[in-house]
Amino acid sequence: MTVETADPGLDTFRAETRAWLEANCPPEMRTPARSEDDVCWGGRKGDYSAAQMTWLQRMGERGWTVPTWPKEYGGGGLSNAQAKVLAQEMSALGCRSPHSNFGIWMLGPALLKFGSEEQKREHLPKIARGEIRWCQGYSEPNSGSDLASLQTRAEDRGDHFIVNGQKIWTSYADRADWIFCLVRTDPTAKKHEGISFVLFDMASAGVTTKPIRLISGKSPFCETFFDNVRVEKHNLVGQINRGWDVAKYLLGHERAMIGGTGSADIARPLGEVIAGLVGTDAQGRIADPLLRARVAEFEVDEAAFRLTMARFGDLMRAGQAHPAYPSALKYYGSELNKRRYELLVAAGGSDTLEWDSDRSKHGATIRAWLRTKANSIEGGTSEVQLGIIAKRILELPGA
Ligand SMILES: Cc1cc2nc3c(=O)[nH]c(=O)nc-3n(C[C@H](O)[C@H](O)[C@H](O)COP(=O)(O)OP(=O)(O)OC[C@H]3O[C@@H](n4cnc5c(N)ncnc54)[C@H](O)[C@@H]3O)c2cc1C
């Protein structure tokens, strides 16, 4: 599909971008990832294919892994309009994202807003080039929804802190290189006011991880322990005891990112996939009328959500987005993604339930269906998002 733009400069940019992508995106990177294991996360511990590494390196050199970040921090320095064109052209060619990284979606935006110049120059280019993989140390065994009650302590020792405590549900902690972590620096202050936001290397002495194994046999997250971990003061982001400001800002980005799962997989509309599973009638429609109605309802909601996400992106880049709006996107997007997989499982019937056969592609759909159940928990539960929407967007009175 050719998209015309009013700005002739943008048309030239589009043509150049298309030509560059065609010349530089390896054919293997023009197919969707086969599973979660087929996604490139970058980092020091990665084991990726030659095509994944080539694609990451080429996009990283151009700054197009983070197209709108400033060039001096490893970004592409593109305008919002150019970044949109790049995304459209990548989608048209079926190009994968060169890498996934919590640094791109979460830490990077927080560093751009709260980081010192030294921190930006140190960490952002490594995120852009996929050299360092980040994990998120927020949740603790007794602090999930009530995150501000966290107890991991950081004691001030002059030029450094000594960190002790435990995190839980730390996604990919065993595969990450560095962690962005919330620690309590003033135990006497009110709970939101004694927290700081620090960065440290997961290879530091005193950091250990214990994978949490799930029923699927996979271990997407860990318990993470800190035993007298030394963290240099220059790795404190923002002000001491004001880490909650950084944490909240970062959570907004995390929630918008998770909400994005609601409009994922747009390369192939759900109706087309389901028609392939259950067959079509003489008019080429999904044969089962009840399923057809549910899929139609889903596709309309998905299209509306995709436009809402795009509108939010524009508002955010213009600095006009309501700060609590990511909660609405997170709530709706994660519920929508769960609906998508409910429909896929319903359409696939008993074949889908096969856990480990070639016919079920080794349970790809059922495993993905199970994974979607976590969408409405990770990054803050749906109930908590509804509470935020009620209070901060709808301004309803508290209970
Ligand atoms: C796949 C996955 C990946 C994750 N990755 C990370 C990670 O990388 N780093 C990290 O730090 N954390 C991570 N988490 C943790 C996640 O942020 C927490 O699970 C989440 O915030 C909920 O906290 P909790 O599990 O302690 O549940 P709880 O807070 O104990 O909640 C239990 C139940 O009570 C409800 N509830 C609690 N408070 C309220 C309220 N005020 N109003 C209404 N209902 C309420 C909740 O909705 C939920 O149903 C991950 C979780 C998952 C599932």
Side-chain angles (χ1 to χ4, degrees), residues 255-280:
R255 288 173 178 163
M257 179 271 290
I258 296 170
T261 56
S263 63
D265 282 350
I266 51 172
R268 230 179 134 210
L270 186 71
E272 217 177 285
V273 178
I274 289 189
L277 289 170
V278 300
T280 51

PDB file of all heavy atoms in Angstrom, residues 255-280:
ATOM      1  N   ARG A 255       3.041   0.903  30.995  1.00  0.00           N
ATOM      2  CA  ARG A 255       1.611   0.591  30.807  1.00  0.00           C
ATOM      3  C   ARG A 255       1.183   0.832  29.361  1.00  0.00           C
ATOM      4  O   ARG A 255       0.427   0.029  28.801  1.00  0.00           O
ATOM      5  CB  ARG A 255       0.771   1.396  31.806  1.00  0.00           C
ATOM      6  CG  ARG A 255       0.958   0.849  33.198  1.00  0.00           C
ATOM      7  CD  ARG A 255       0.327   1.642  34.306  1.00  0.00           C
ATOM      8  NE  ARG A 255       0.585   0.938  35.563  1.00  0.00           N
ATOM      9  CZ  ARG A 255       0.480   1.477  36.767  1.00  0.00           C
ATOM     10  NH1 ARG A 255       0.104   2.745  36.906  1.00  0.00           N
ATOM     11  NH2 ARG A 255       0.732   0.756  37.849  1.00  0.00           N
ATOM     12  N   ALA A 256       1.681   1.902  28.776  1.00  0.00           N
ATOM     13  CA  ALA A 256       1.336   2.152  27.365  1.00  0.00           C
ATOM     14  C   ALA A 256       1.901   1.018  26.505  1.00  0.00           C
ATOM     15  O   ALA A 256       1.247   0.549  25.569  1.00  0.00           O
ATOM     16  CB  ALA A 256       1.896   3.486  26.917  1.00  0.00           C
ATOM     17  N   MET A 257       3.097   0.550  26.851  1.00  0.00           N
ATOM     18  CA  MET A 257       3.727  -0.530  26.081  1.00  0.00           C
ATOM     19  C   MET A 257       2.908  -1.828  26.204  1.00  0.00           C
ATOM     20  O   MET A 257       2.608  -2.487  25.214  1.00  0.00           O
ATOM     21  CB  MET A 257       5.163  -0.716  26.591  1.00  0.00           C
ATOM     22  CG  MET A 257       5.993  -1.782  25.950  1.00  0.00           C
ATOM     23  SD  MET A 257       5.822  -3.375  26.733  1.00  0.00           S
ATOM     24  CE  MET A 257       6.635  -3.113  28.313  1.00  0.00           C
ATOM     25  N   ILE A 258       2.491  -2.160  27.434  1.00  0.00           N
ATOM     26  CA  ILE A 258       1.703  -3.398  27.611  1.00  0.00           C
ATOM     27  C   ILE A 258       0.344  -3.237  26.916  1.00  0.00           C
ATOM     28  O   ILE A 258      -0.154  -4.167  26.283  1.00  0.00           O
ATOM     29  CB  ILE A 258       1.522  -3.738  29.107  1.00  0.00           C
ATOM     30  CG1 ILE A 258       2.888  -4.025  29.743  1.00  0.00           C
ATOM     31  CG2 ILE A 258       0.610  -4.952  29.286  1.00  0.00           C
ATOM     32  CD1 ILE A 258       2.860  -4.143  31.258  1.00  0.00           C
ATOM     33  N   GLY A 259      -0.232  -2.048  27.009  1.00  0.00           N
ATOM     34  CA  GLY A 259      -1.498  -1.793  26.313  1.00  0.00           C
ATOM     35  C   GLY A 259      -1.366  -2.066  24.827  1.00  0.00           C
ATOM     36  O   GLY A 259      -2.295  -2.548  24.182  1.00  0.00           O
ATOM     37  N   GLY A 260      -0.170  -1.807  24.299  1.00  0.00           N
ATOM     38  CA  GLY A 260       0.081  -2.014  22.868  1.00  0.00           C
ATOM     39  C   GLY A 260      -0.127  -3.451  22.425  1.00  0.00           C
ATOM     40  O   GLY A 260      -0.348  -3.706  21.237  1.00  0.00           O
ATOM     41  N   THR A 261      -0.089  -4.424  23.366  1.00  0.00           N
ATOM     42  CA  THR A 261      -0.331  -5.817  22.970  1.00  0.00           C
ATOM     43  C   THR A 261      -1.743  -5.961  22.397  1.00  0.00           C
ATOM     44  O   THR A 261      -2.012  -6.888  21.644  1.00  0.00           O
ATOM     45  CB  THR A 261      -0.184  -6.809  24.155  1.00  0.00           C
ATOM     46  OG1 THR A 261      -1.071  -6.397  25.194  1.00  0.00           O
ATOM     47  CG2 THR A 261       1.237  -6.847  24.680  1.00  0.00           C
ATOM     48  N   GLY A 262      -2.638  -5.025  22.783  1.00  0.00           N
ATOM     49  CA  GLY A 262      -4.015  -5.087  22.279  1.00  0.00           C
ATOM     50  C   GLY A 262      -4.098  -4.877  20.785  1.00  0.00           C
ATOM     51  O   GLY A 262      -5.022  -5.339  20.122  1.00  0.00           O
ATOM     52  N   SER A 263      -3.133  -4.150  20.220  1.00  0.00           N
ATOM     53  CA  SER A 263      -3.207  -3.928  18.772  1.00  0.00           C
ATOM     54  C   SER A 263      -2.040  -4.599  18.052  1.00  0.00           C
ATOM     55  O   SER A 263      -1.637  -4.194  16.981  1.00  0.00           O
ATOM     56  CB  SER A 263      -3.235  -2.433  18.475  1.00  0.00           C
ATOM     57  OG  SER A 263      -2.047  -1.830  18.899  1.00  0.00           O
ATOM     58  N   ALA A 264      -1.472  -5.635  18.679  1.00  0.00           N
ATOM     59  CA  ALA A 264      -0.346  -6.344  18.066  1.00  0.00           C
ATOM     60  C   ALA A 264      -0.839  -7.275  16.961  1.00  0.00           C
ATOM     61  O   ALA A 264      -2.043  -7.411  16.745  1.00  0.00           O
ATOM     62  CB  ALA A 264       0.383  -7.148  19.132  1.00  0.00           C
ATOM     63  N   ASP A 265       0.080  -7.920  16.285  1.00  0.00           N
ATOM     64  CA  ASP A 265      -0.272  -8.935  15.272  1.00  0.00           C
ATOM     65  C   ASP A 265      -1.101  -8.375  14.138  1.00  0.00           C
ATOM     66  O   ASP A 265      -1.928  -9.075  13.559  1.00  0.00           O
ATOM     67  CB  ASP A 265      -1.081 -10.088  15.900  1.00  0.00           C
ATOM     68  CG  ASP A 265      -0.176 -11.045  16.647  1.00  0.00           C
ATOM     69  OD1 ASP A 265       1.050 -10.912  16.521  1.00  0.00           O
ATOM     70  OD2 ASP A 265      -0.713 -11.898  17.319  1.00  0.00           O
ATOM     71  N   ILE A 266      -0.957  -7.081  13.831  1.00  0.00           N
ATOM     72  CA  ILE A 266      -1.833  -6.503  12.820  1.00  0.00           C
ATOM     73  C   ILE A 266      -1.436  -6.921  11.405  1.00  0.00           C
ATOM     74  O   ILE A 266      -2.139  -6.627  10.454  1.00  0.00           O
ATOM     75  CB  ILE A 266      -1.901  -4.958  12.907  1.00  0.00           C
ATOM     76  CG1 ILE A 266      -0.497  -4.387  12.941  1.00  0.00           C
ATOM     77  CG2 ILE A 266      -2.729  -4.505  14.083  1.00  0.00           C
ATOM     78  CD1 ILE A 266      -0.464  -2.890  12.822  1.00  0.00           C
ATOM     79  N   ALA A 267      -0.276  -7.617  11.298  1.00  0.00           N
ATOM     80  CA  ALA A 267       0.148  -8.044   9.970  1.00  0.00           C
ATOM     81  C   ALA A 267      -0.941  -8.901   9.317  1.00  0.00           C
ATOM     82  O   ALA A 267      -1.153  -8.852   8.111  1.00  0.00           O
ATOM     83  CB  ALA A 267       1.446  -8.824  10.061  1.00  0.00           C
ATOM     84  N   ARG A 268      -1.639  -9.707  10.132  1.00  0.00           N
ATOM     85  CA  ARG A 268      -2.704 -10.564   9.611  1.00  0.00           C
ATOM     86  C   ARG A 268      -3.945 -10.416  10.479  1.00  0.00           C
ATOM     87  O   ARG A 268      -3.924 -10.772  11.655  1.00  0.00           O
ATOM     88  CB  ARG A 268      -2.226 -12.019   9.649  1.00  0.00           C
ATOM     89  CG  ARG A 268      -2.440 -12.704   8.316  1.00  0.00           C
ATOM     90  CD  ARG A 268      -1.950 -14.115   8.324  1.00  0.00           C
ATOM     91  NE  ARG A 268      -2.932 -14.970   7.732  1.00  0.00           N
ATOM     92  CZ  ARG A 268      -3.124 -16.232   8.046  1.00  0.00           C
ATOM     93  NH1 ARG A 268      -2.384 -16.795   8.958  1.00  0.00           N
ATOM     94  NH2 ARG A 268      -4.050 -16.930   7.436  1.00  0.00           N
ATOM     95  N   PRO A 269      -5.033  -9.868   9.917  1.00  0.00           N
ATOM     96  CA  PRO A 269      -6.222  -9.661  10.758  1.00  0.00           C
ATOM     97  C   PRO A 269      -6.727 -10.979  11.347  1.00  0.00           C
ATOM     98  O   PRO A 269      -6.618 -12.038  10.716  1.00  0.00           O
ATOM     99  CB  PRO A 269      -7.242  -9.079   9.779  1.00  0.00           C
ATOM    100  CG  PRO A 269      -6.462  -8.618   8.601  1.00  0.00           C
ATOM    101  CD  PRO A 269      -5.214  -9.435   8.545  1.00  0.00           C
ATOM    102  N   LEU A 270      -7.276 -10.879  12.556  1.00  0.00           N
ATOM    103  CA  LEU A 270      -7.725 -12.083  13.259  1.00  0.00           C
ATOM    104  C   LEU A 270      -8.746 -12.865  12.427  1.00  0.00           C
ATOM    105  O   LEU A 270      -8.720 -14.095  12.382  1.00  0.00           O
ATOM    106  CB  LEU A 270      -8.328 -11.691  14.611  1.00  0.00           C
ATOM    107  CG  LEU A 270      -8.697 -12.857  15.505  1.00  0.00           C
ATOM    108  CD1 LEU A 270      -7.455 -13.544  16.039  1.00  0.00           C
ATOM    109  CD2 LEU A 270      -9.572 -12.411  16.668  1.00  0.00           C
ATOM    110  N   GLY A 271      -9.646 -12.140  11.758  1.00  0.00           N
ATOM    111  CA  GLY A 271     -10.688 -12.808  10.970  1.00  0.00           C
ATOM    112  C   GLY A 271     -10.082 -13.729   9.911  1.00  0.00           C
ATOM    113  O   GLY A 271     -10.587 -14.839   9.675  1.00  0.00           O
ATOM    114  N   GLU A 272      -8.999 -13.272   9.312  1.00  0.00           N
ATOM    115  CA  GLU A 272      -8.340 -14.075   8.278  1.00  0.00           C
ATOM    116  C   GLU A 272      -7.748 -15.352   8.883  1.00  0.00           C
ATOM    117  O   GLU A 272      -7.888 -16.447   8.330  1.00  0.00           O
ATOM    118  CB  GLU A 272      -7.208 -13.224   7.702  1.00  0.00           C
ATOM    119  CG  GLU A 272      -6.970 -13.370   6.232  1.00  0.00           C
ATOM    120  CD  GLU A 272      -5.868 -12.398   5.819  1.00  0.00           C
ATOM    121  OE1 GLU A 272      -6.170 -11.192   5.735  1.00  0.00           O
ATOM    122  OE2 GLU A 272      -4.730 -12.851   5.623  1.00  0.00           O
ATOM    123  N   VAL A 273      -7.114 -15.195  10.049  1.00  0.00           N
ATOM    124  CA  VAL A 273      -6.507 -16.353  10.722  1.00  0.00           C
ATOM    125  C   VAL A 273      -7.605 -17.352  11.088  1.00  0.00           C
ATOM    126  O   VAL A 273      -7.483 -18.564  10.860  1.00  0.00           O
ATOM    127  CB  VAL A 273      -5.740 -15.898  12.000  1.00  0.00           C
ATOM    128  CG1 VAL A 273      -5.150 -17.092  12.734  1.00  0.00           C
ATOM    129  CG2 VAL A 273      -4.660 -14.887  11.647  1.00  0.00           C
ATOM    130  N   ILE A 274      -8.698 -16.828  11.640  1.00  0.00           N
ATOM    131  CA  ILE A 274      -9.768 -17.726  12.109  1.00  0.00           C
ATOM    132  C   ILE A 274     -10.496 -18.377  10.932  1.00  0.00           C
ATOM    133  O   ILE A 274     -10.862 -19.559  10.982  1.00  0.00           O
ATOM    134  CB  ILE A 274     -10.701 -16.967  13.082  1.00  0.00           C
ATOM    135  CG1 ILE A 274      -9.901 -16.754  14.371  1.00  0.00           C
ATOM    136  CG2 ILE A 274     -12.003 -17.717  13.317  1.00  0.00           C
ATOM    137  CD1 ILE A 274     -10.645 -16.232  15.544  1.00  0.00           C
ATOM    138  N   ALA A 275     -10.656 -17.645   9.843  1.00  0.00           N
ATOM    139  CA  ALA A 275     -11.270 -18.257   8.645  1.00  0.00           C
ATOM    140  C   ALA A 275     -10.423 -19.444   8.190  1.00  0.00           C
ATOM    141  O   ALA A 275     -10.946 -20.491   7.788  1.00  0.00           O
ATOM    142  CB  ALA A 275     -11.378 -17.224   7.531  1.00  0.00           C
ATOM    143  N   GLY A 276      -9.102 -19.309   8.306  1.00  0.00           N
ATOM    144  CA  GLY A 276      -8.216 -20.413   7.930  1.00  0.00           C
ATOM    145  C   GLY A 276      -8.382 -21.618   8.842  1.00  0.00           C
ATOM    146  O   GLY A 276      -8.173 -22.756   8.428  1.00  0.00           O
ATOM    147  N   LEU A 277      -8.782 -21.371  10.091  1.00  0.00           N
ATOM    148  CA  LEU A 277      -8.920 -22.477  11.048  1.00  0.00           C
ATOM    149  C   LEU A 277     -10.263 -23.186  10.923  1.00  0.00           C
ATOM    150  O   LEU A 277     -10.337 -24.408  10.987  1.00  0.00           O
ATOM    151  CB  LEU A 277      -8.775 -21.940  12.491  1.00  0.00           C
ATOM    152  CG  LEU A 277      -7.381 -21.499  12.932  1.00  0.00           C
ATOM    153  CD1 LEU A 277      -7.451 -20.765  14.266  1.00  0.00           C
ATOM    154  CD2 LEU A 277      -6.465 -22.711  13.063  1.00  0.00           C
ATOM    155  N   VAL A 278     -11.347 -22.408  10.748  1.00  0.00           N
ATOM    156  CA  VAL A 278     -12.683 -23.037  10.792  1.00  0.00           C
ATOM    157  C   VAL A 278     -13.340 -23.147   9.417  1.00  0.00           C
ATOM    158  O   VAL A 278     -14.408 -23.728   9.289  1.00  0.00           O
ATOM    159  CB  VAL A 278     -13.639 -22.277  11.761  1.00  0.00           C
ATOM    160  CG1 VAL A 278     -13.096 -22.251  13.169  1.00  0.00           C
ATOM    161  CG2 VAL A 278     -13.913 -20.860  11.274  1.00  0.00           C
ATOM    162  N   GLY A 279     -12.719 -22.545   8.412  1.00  0.00           N
ATOM    163  CA  GLY A 279     -13.296 -22.623   7.071  1.00  0.00           C
ATOM    164  C   GLY A 279     -14.272 -21.473   6.804  1.00  0.00           C
ATOM    165  O   GLY A 279     -14.645 -20.728   7.712  1.00  0.00           O
ATOM    166  N   THR A 280     -14.666 -21.343   5.540  1.00  0.00           N
ATOM    167  CA  THR A 280     -15.536 -20.229   5.145  1.00  0.00           C
ATOM    168  C   THR A 280     -16.809 -20.756   4.470  1.00  0.00           C
ATOM    169  O   THR A 280     -16.841 -21.887   3.978  1.00  0.00           O
ATOM    170  CB  THR A 280     -14.796 -19.295   4.159  1.00  0.00           C
ATOM    171  OG1 THR A 280     -14.241 -20.087   3.105  1.00  0.00           O
ATOM    172  CG2 THR A 280     -13.675 -18.543   4.834  1.00  0.00           C
TER     173      THR A 280
END
